[in-house]
Amino acid sequence: AVVSTQSTGIMVTGDHPITAAAIAKNVGIISEDSNTVDDIAKDMGMLPGIPVEEVDPNKVNAAVVHGSKLKEMNAEDLDILLENHEEIVFARTSPQQKLIIVEAFQRAGQIVAV
């Protein structure tokens, strides 16, 4: 499922996060000038970069969220994620998690089509 507007790109998929991020960048869901936490981790420090845990996720406007991480998030955490990131890829998501994502966008006043 893909939702895209001029300022926001959202992708929800069962694909692996690396595959999902590559597809999202290729089709413009994650724009060329955006960086994810993984991108910044690779760019900082010496090769192979720094651990992603050392990157502040609020410093990037694009996020790739694995289904296992989504399981750990409550409704408030998800709402904050949607508020702070314009481009989001949800990867390795289950059908139940897709419903949770849709409900979060609806709470935010967004129109969602699946």
Side-chain angles (χ1 to χ4, degrees):
V2 174
V3 177
S4 184
T5 67
Q6 286 183 336
S7 62
T8 304
I10 307 297
M11 178 173 161
V12 183
T13 181
D15 289 336
H16 187 278
I18 294 171
T19 304
I23 292 168
K25 288 178 181 183
N26 192 33
V27 300
I29 292 168
I30 296 178
S31 57
E32 288 183 27
D33 59 340
S34 293
N35 287 312
T36 65
V37 169
D38 290 324
D39 294 332
I40 291 177
K42 288 177 194 169
D43 292 343
M44 294 178 69
M46 303 297 260
L47 289 176
I50 64 169
V52 292
E53 295 80 21
E54 293 182 24
V55 178
D56 181 355
N58 295 317
K59 300 287 185 192
V60 297
N61 64 338
V64 179
V65 181
H66 192 286
S68 62
K69 177 71 174 168
L70 187 58
K71 274 185 191 177
E72 299 170 4
M73 299 172 76
N74 61 33
E76 183 179 349
D77 294 334
L78 188 52
D79 293 344
I80 291 169
L81 175 76
L82 300 184
E83 283 178 26
N84 291 324
H85 296 88
E86 298 172 355
E87 302 165 348
I88 308 171
V89 174
F90 294 97
R92 288 283 195 239
T93 56
S94 69
Q96 180 62 33
Q97 288 174 316
K98 291 174 184 176
L99 178 60
I100 291 167
I101 294 164
V102 166
E103 290 170 344
F105 278 101
Q106 289 174 332
R107 277 195 308 277
Q110 301 294 318
I111 297 170
V112 181
V114 180

